[in-house]
RNA sequence: GCCCUUGUAGCUCAACGGUAGAGCGCGCGGCUCAUAAUCGCUCGGUUACAGGUUCAAAUCCUGUCGAGGGCACCA
């Protein structure tokens, strides 16, 4: 039997679930359901990565044991998955499972017993150097210390005291011997790393030279991890422990999971990862696997990140994150699933805004698929006593069918459906979900058009058209049946629902779309009770509710959690090697202060508007000449034309960013920026110019 | 500084080197089975710019500019 093994990253258990977790897991769930339908023996892994110094520290800060803490986080993750219907995973992997300890230790031994492609030992003991703050009693990472001008020794950000350079014993993996092996494996295989652009990045990273990788820490500095076999003074450090979950979960190196079937699944694994952890999943993971004498994965696919509706990165500070609570409260799970697959070109970054989601749900689901189902079934109720009519047209009635604009031969529709189905599957197999869905929607449009052309509500009045009417309704319903099967993995609940409304009761989860045959929908089948599957959303109403809940949330916000940055290995040169995770998480976002120096870079000055006028053919721009106490007034352009009459601004004193890089707009150079309070919540309210209550001198600097 | 990707309609995206299309949105008209739905029509493009190769370029090559990303460097 063909097998398919799909994994999400195991999410690092140091922060609560967010959109990135939901997204990757959703895609994996869709793929798993799809492959199951198509007869694959499918295995779906997700879970949490639960070791490491970060978790140890967060737990300590909360006065918990690390185990209690990761139990809590993984519990939250499972709850979130359940909230969004993501319950079909075969294992929720946790690296704290005893079987994983056993297996990863066995993997370590296996690797250690082998040699690198260049005949060296794979693992050796060395030293790595790190900066240690005695006051904190902790090693400090790049993000936790600063190097001041003219100083060599970094200072702890907490105590501002110079750090000690401490040399610590560590085991290293001889990654530097694997460059050629990796290049050969990756360059020659077009589907090993996808998409192509990411593959190129990995290749160029490898070509720039690989350094050996520290894979352990002394137990005295990091205790929360898997002990190194044969040296209980060390625990494994991050990657070897975390990545290996993909094999330990299916039975590598342990008895407990053996029954799952490492042999049958491993050759057919697809790893979904965020682009931020691709390198670890390729360079490190492939090398570990080779060192253990194991096959490489079939495909590792790096997907993009979700940006906000304006294309900016999401973050706490910008307040533009998508809140899972809001999604759950206001949107159908199936609509979210559809949206994330339809809206993002898989592999590229995508934009996620509540408004876009509402628009998609209304246009494609409510008006599109939902309405087609609704109009078709309601006509069957009205015109055919609620039973699927016969779709055949007798030859002597062809003339009437043609008169109604209907091709008497259903073969034309059959080829359309078959072609759409084949293309859909082809795109799906190639991870082109967005395009696959587009194809399905072109079929919906076609059936809508068929109905409009045939006008069943008129056919019913003409007894010569009885067969035409039946054929139209049969064709529409049979198409719906096909669409339910195709779309089931994407929108499982809704498609089951429509499938049931058509009057079908077999198990849609195992209907292979490849085997769909036109005409298998049985005449005389009684259709089920019809109901709207996709509710239409009132955009304004939903948006204002979301805004309201957003405000409430900010008021009730808990104090910020302790900031913990990932610990880095100082010797390896990859400070950005963050843990298994994807999407920016809260812990990364908390610290976002600027220094006084940063602020002083911005030269804010008081200026008086001398001239203000509209610019021909520019709807938004106004041209100003503003006196900043310089030789002559500056020309500054600002997008205020929609909100202010230029005349009313003359003589006003405003705050100007005086050292902004000049920029040309509408052919005019702008030498600064006028400061105004802007309401960026999309309500279109007018901005307010910054002003002073007291009298101020022109040119005065603000600081 | 080096490298990768990308630039097509207001927006999101298509288009083996062969007549630039679709969806959404906008405007007009039709229809009533349906969830203010749906159907038709219209509007919308010098394919970022400049060269080159070719019978033919959105597509291939070179350069410029813009966007995103990776690495290095700096902080």
């Amino acid at each position: 039997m063909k097998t398919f093994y799909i994994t999400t990253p195991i999410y690092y258990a140091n922060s609560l679930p967010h959109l990135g977790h939901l997204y990757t897991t959703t895609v994996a769930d869709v793929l798993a359901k799809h492959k199951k339908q198509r007869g694959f023996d499918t295995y779906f892994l997700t879970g949490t990565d639960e070791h490491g110094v970060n978790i140890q520290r967060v737990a300590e800060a909360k006065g918990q044991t690390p185990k209690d803490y990761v139990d809590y986080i993984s519990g939250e993750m499972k709850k979130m998955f359940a909230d969004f219907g993501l319950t079909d995973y075969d294992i929720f992997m946790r690296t704290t499972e005893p079987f994983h300890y056993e297996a990863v230790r066995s993997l370590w031994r296996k690797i250690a017993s082998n040699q690198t492609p260049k005949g060296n030992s794979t693992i050796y003991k060395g030293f790595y150097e790190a900066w240690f703050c005695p006051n904190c009693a902790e090693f400090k990472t790049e993000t936790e210390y600063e190097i001041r001008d003219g100083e060599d020794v970094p200072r702890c950000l907490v105590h501002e005291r110079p750090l000690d350079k401490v040399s610590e014993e560590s085991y290293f993996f001889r990654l530097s011997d694997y460059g050629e092996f990796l290049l050969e494996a990756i360059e020659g295989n077009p589907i090993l790393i996808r998409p192509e652009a990411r593959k190129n990045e990995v290749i160029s990273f490898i070509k720039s030279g690989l350094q050996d990788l520290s894979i352990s820490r002394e137990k005295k500095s990091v205790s929360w991890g898997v002990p190194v076999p044969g040296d209980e003074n060390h625990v494994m450090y991050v990657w070897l422990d975390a990545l290996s979950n993909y094999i330990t979960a299916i039975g590598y190196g342990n008895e407990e999971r053996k029954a799952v079937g490492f042999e049958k699944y491993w050759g057919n694994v697809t790893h979904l990862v965020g682009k931020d952890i691709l390198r670890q999943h390729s360079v490190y993971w492939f090398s570990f696997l080779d060192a253990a004498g194991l096959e490489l994965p079939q495909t590792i696919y790096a997907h993009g990140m979700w940006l906000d509706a304006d294309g900016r990165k999401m973050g706490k500070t910008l307040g533009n994150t998508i809140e899972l609570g809001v999604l759950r409260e206001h949107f159908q799970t199936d609509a979210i699933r559809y949206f994330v697959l339809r809206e993002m070109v898989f592999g590229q970054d995508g934009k996620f805004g509540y408004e876009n989601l509402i628009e998609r749900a209304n246009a494609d689901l409510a008006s599109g698929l939902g309405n087609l189902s609704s109009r078709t079934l309601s006509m069957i109720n009205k015109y055919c006593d609620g039973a699927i009519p016969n779709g055949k047209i007798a030859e002597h009635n062809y003339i009437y069918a043609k008169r109604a604009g209907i091709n008497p031969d259903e073969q034309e529709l059959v080829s359309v459906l078959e072609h759409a189905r084949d293309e859909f599957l082809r795109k799906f197999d190639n991870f082109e979900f967005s395009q696959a869905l587009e194809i399905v929607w072109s079929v919906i449009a076609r059936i809508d058009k068929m109905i409009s052309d045939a006008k069943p509500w008129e056919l019913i009045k003409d007894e010569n058209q009885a067969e035409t009417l039946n054929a139209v309704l049969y064709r529409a319903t049979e198409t719906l049946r096909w669409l339910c099967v195709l779309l089931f993995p994407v929108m499982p609940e809704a498609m089951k629902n429509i499938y049931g409304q058509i009057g079908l009761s077999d198990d849609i989860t195992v209907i292979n779309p490849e085997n769909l045959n036109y005409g298998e929908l049985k005449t005389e089948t009684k259709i089920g009770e019809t109901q709207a599957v996709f509710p239409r959303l009132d955009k304004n109403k939903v948006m204002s509710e979301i805004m309201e809940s957003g405000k409430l949330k900010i008021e009730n916000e808990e104090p910020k959690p302790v900031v913990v940055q990932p610990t880095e290995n100082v010797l390896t040169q990859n400070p950005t090697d963050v843990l298994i995770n994807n999407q920016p998480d809260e812990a990364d976002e908390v610290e976002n202060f600027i220094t006084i120096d940063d602020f002083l870079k911005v030269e804010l000055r008081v200026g008086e508007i001398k001239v203000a006028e509209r610019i021909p053919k520019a709807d938004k721009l106004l041209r100003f000449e503003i006196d900043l106490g310089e030789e002559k007034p500056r020309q500054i352009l600002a997008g205020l034309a929609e909100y202010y009459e230029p005349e009313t601004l003359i003589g006003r004193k405003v705050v100007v960013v005086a050292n902004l890089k000049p920029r040309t707009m509408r052919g005019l150079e702008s030498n600064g920026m006028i400061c105004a309070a802007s309401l960026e919540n999309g309500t279109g309210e007018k901005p307010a110019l910054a002003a002073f209550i007291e009298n101020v001198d022109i040119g005065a600097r603000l600081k």
Side-chain angles (χ1 to χ4, degrees):
Chain A
M1 195 176 190
K2 301 171 292 184
T3 63
F4 179 72
Y5 177 28
I6 180 84
T7 73
T8 73
I10 50 172
Y11 305 113
Y12 198 56
N14 71 338
S15 69
L16 290 169
H18 55 65
L19 180 65
H21 303 130
L22 173 62
Y23 175 61
T24 315
T25 313
T26 295
V27 174
D29 184 68
V30 171
L31 281 171
K33 285 186 166 71
H34 178 76
K35 290 290 185 177
K36 253 180 214 165
Q37 270 189 314
R38 295 176 74 181
F40 284 79
D41 173 354
T42 300
Y43 201 80
F44 172 12
L45 173 147
T46 188
T48 42
D49 172 20
E50 307 187 345
H51 287 134
V53 68
N54 308 304
I55 284 169
Q56 192 182 324
R57 287 189 198 170
V58 177
E60 276 166 20
K62 288 182 176 270
Q64 291 178 314
T65 65
K67 177 68 171 133
D68 286 344
Y69 181 71
V70 297
D71 283 351
Y72 163 69
I73 294 286
S74 66
E76 290 298 304
M77 196 66 76
K78 284 183 190 168
K79 259 191 244 167
M80 185 276 274
F81 289 163
D83 284 343
F84 290 93
L86 299 168
T87 51
D88 277 0
Y89 48 80
D90 295 289
I91 181 174
F92 187 98
M93 179 64 192
R94 301 184 57 185
T95 53
T96 47
E97 295 276 1
F99 75 77
H100 180 70
Y101 273 61
E102 178 193 340
V104 73
R105 284 161 61 88
S106 148
L107 177 69
W108 177 296
R109 280 191 223 101
K110 178 72 182 169
I111 291 175
S113 74
N114 286 336
Q115 291 188 331
T116 70
K118 296 186 174 174
N120 295 310
S121 58
T122 52
I123 294 178
Y124 63 93
K125 199 189 253 189
F127 288 89
Y128 90 104
E129 290 173 326
W131 297 105
F132 187 82
C133 173
N135 297 36
C136 302
E138 278 176 0
F139 285 98
K140 293 295 173 180
T141 68
E142 286 209 8
T143 49
E144 292 171 327
Y145 61 68
E146 58 170 351
I147 301 174
R148 296 187 182 172
D149 288 345
E151 293 184 354
D152 295 334
V153 178
R155 290 169 181 268
C156 168
L157 285 180
V158 181
H159 298 96
E160 300 193 351
R161 111 182 244 302
L163 298 172
D164 299 335
K165 194 175 215 175
V166 174
S167 185
E168 189 181 299
E169 206 176 62
S170 169
Y171 286 94
F172 284 83
F173 177 76
R174 203 179 302 274
L175 190 63
S176 55
D177 271 10
Y178 284 84
E180 283 147 40
F181 159 75
L182 288 167
L183 286 176
E184 194 176 323
I186 295 168
E187 287 182 321
N189 183 341
I191 64 162
L192 182 56
I193 299 179
R194 305 181 71 183
E196 175 117 25
R198 297 289 156 204
K199 169 178 153 180
N200 293 339
E201 277 173 20
V202 171
I203 289 171
S204 94
F205 175 76
I206 297 167
K207 284 184 173 166
S208 75
L210 298 175
Q211 301 214 359
D212 292 346
L213 186 68
S214 169
I215 51 171
S216 79
R217 283 291 179 277
E218 283 189 38
K219 198 160 188 173
K220 65 188 183 203
S221 56
V222 181
S223 59
W224 184 234
V226 182
V228 168
D231 189 343
E232 301 297 315
N233 292 324
H234 283 259
V235 299
M236 296 185 198
Y237 181 67
V238 187
W239 289 107
L240 186 67
D241 167 25
L243 289 165
S244 61
N245 91 88
Y246 301 127
I247 55 175
T248 66
I250 55 172
Y252 176 88
N254 71 97
E255 285 301 313
E256 185 178 332
R257 307 289 304 170
K258 198 160 189 162
V260 176
F262 173 76
E263 286 76 17
K264 68 175 176 176
Y265 288 122
W266 182 243
N268 296 311
V269 65
T270 297
H271 293 310
L272 296 183
V273 300
K275 64 184 184 184
D276 53 336
I277 50 170
L278 173 61
R279 188 199 308 156
Q280 294 78 10
H281 279 78
S282 49
V283 176
Y284 298 178
W285 184 220
F286 294 176
S287 301
F288 293 156
L289 285 168
D290 187 63
L294 297 172
E295 275 182 81
L296 300 189
Q298 184 177 68
T299 292
I300 161 155
Y301 206 113
H303 67 245
M305 300 296 176
W306 283 107
L307 308 172
D308 74 6
D310 299 320
R312 295 172 303 187
K313 282 185 182 166
M314 291 185 189
K316 267 272 151 68
T317 44
L318 272 176
N320 60 350
T321 51
I322 296 294
E323 300 291 332
L324 298 185
V326 171
L327 287 182
R328 199 181 56 222
E329 186 179 341
H330 294 278
F331 300 96
Q332 274 176 297
T333 301
D334 281 352
I336 297 166
R337 292 168 71 98
Y338 173 76
F339 177 82
V340 295
L341 289 185
R342 177 64 184 80
E343 196 76 3
M344 184 186 268
V345 176
F346 196 63
Q348 297 178 24
D349 288 349
K351 294 176 187 172
F352 198 131
Y354 296 121
E355 296 202 33
N356 303 358
L357 173 51
I358 295 169
E359 280 162 18
R360 278 265 174 230
N362 282 344
D364 295 0
L365 300 181
S367 300
L369 180 56
N371 183 61
L372 176 62
S373 154
S374 168
R375 71 194 303 205
T376 302
L377 296 175
S378 105
M379 283 190 282
I380 289 178
N381 269 327
K382 253 181 210 169
Y383 304 149
C384 309
D385 291 328
I388 306 288
N390 190 318
K392 299 289 178 212
I393 299 175
E395 218 168 312
H396 65 271
N397 282 326
Y398 277 16
I399 176 86
Y400 298 110
K402 283 181 186 155
R403 201 174 289 164
I406 293 301
N407 187 343
D409 184 1
E410 64 195 8
Q411 201 51 46
E412 184 190 347
L413 175 62
V414 175
S415 5
V416 166
L417 287 178
E418 286 176 349
H419 181 254
R421 182 261 318 270
D422 295 345
E423 280 297 289
F424 177 88
L425 296 179
R426 198 174 62 78
K427 299 282 188 190
F428 226 84
D429 284 339
N430 205 29
F431 299 90
E432 294 172 286
F433 308 118
S434 183
Q435 288 191 45
L437 292 170
E438 231 177 299
I439 290 164
V440 169
W441 259 258
S442 73
V443 172
I444 292 173
R446 193 183 178 95
I447 298 300
D448 269 330
K449 180 164 164 51
M450 175 188 76
I451 293 172
S452 291
D453 288 349
K455 302 189 183 67
W457 49 95
E458 288 182 6
L459 300 180
I460 188 69
K461 297 173 190 161
D462 179 353
E463 53 192 41
N464 287 322
Q465 290 291 22
E467 287 198 345
T468 312
L469 171 63
N470 287 346
V472 167
L473 294 181
Y474 183 87
R475 289 176 194 185
T477 316
E478 174 66 341
T479 302
L480 268 181
R481 181 178 73 94
W482 279 50
L483 298 188
C484 285
V485 173
L486 286 178
L487 294 175
F488 163 75
V490 179
M491 298 183 284
E493 291 310 313
M495 291 309 101
K496 274 186 200 163
N497 189 335
I498 294 180
Y499 203 69
Q501 289 187 37
I502 296 174
L504 299 168
S505 55
D506 50 334
D507 182 5
I508 194 172
T509 65
V510 292
I511 301 176
N512 188 342
E514 293 167 78
N515 301 336
L516 279 169
N517 281 311
Y518 186 90
E520 285 183 348
L521 177 64
K522 292 217 172 37
T523 295
E524 299 305 321
T525 306
K526 275 282 178 192
I527 64 170
E529 195 180 329
T530 59
Q531 48 170 281
V533 179
F534 300 110
R536 180 170 304 281
L537 302 172
D538 180 332
K539 187 161 148 191
N540 292 332
K541 182 161 168 274
V542 173
M543 285 311 292
S544 62
E545 282 171 13
I546 291 174
M547 297 280 199
E548 277 306 308
S549 63
K551 279 178 199 151
L552 283 176
K553 184 155 187 300
I554 288 163
E555 283 163 18
N556 300 335
E557 191 117 304
E558 290 176 27
K560 299 277 188 195
V562 180
V563 181
V564 175
Q565 297 289 351
T567 299
E568 304 304 341
N569 176 341
V570 177
L571 242 200
T572 60
Q573 54 175 13
N574 309 321
T576 51
D577 288 3
V578 197
L579 304 148
I580 289 207
N581 205 336
N582 59 3
Q583 297 276 352
D585 62 51
E586 282 132 49
D588 292 339
E589 296 287 337
V590 177
E591 189 154 352
N592 197 46
F593 298 109
I594 60 168
T595 66
I596 185 72
D597 293 335
D598 292 330
F599 172 70
L600 287 175
K601 281 186 206 155
V602 182
E603 188 185 330
L604 296 172
R605 290 195 183 276
V606 177
E608 184 176 317
I609 299 177
K610 293 295 186 190
V611 174
E613 59 187 26
R614 291 189 184 275
I615 298 171
K617 284 193 249 176
D619 295 336
K620 294 185 180 171
L621 280 186
L622 290 181
R623 191 187 78 89
F624 297 96
E625 286 178 25
I626 298 181
D627 184 358
L628 292 178
E630 297 165 327
E631 275 181 35
K632 57 179 183 181
R634 290 190 188 202
Q635 171 169 285
I636 292 179
L637 306 181
L640 297 170
E642 290 174 299
Y643 312 106
Y644 287 97
E645 287 306 319
E647 315 69 82
T648 64
L649 294 173
I650 293 173
R652 263 184 81 159
K653 284 181 178 161
V654 293
V655 177
V656 170
V657 182
N659 59 343
L660 196 69
K661 188 176 172 188
R663 179 177 166 182
T664 305
M665 293 182 267
R666 281 272 166 192
L668 299 167
E669 188 170 276
S670 179
N671 299 292
M673 186 172 89
I674 299 175
C675 291
S678 58
L679 299 158
E680 290 197 21
N681 53 12
T683 55
E685 282 182 63
K686 71 187 253 179
L689 292 180
F692 297 92
I693 296 173
E694 289 94 352
N695 203 15
V696 286
D697 291 337
I698 289 170
R701 178 150 190 196
L702 279 73
K703 53 186 177 182

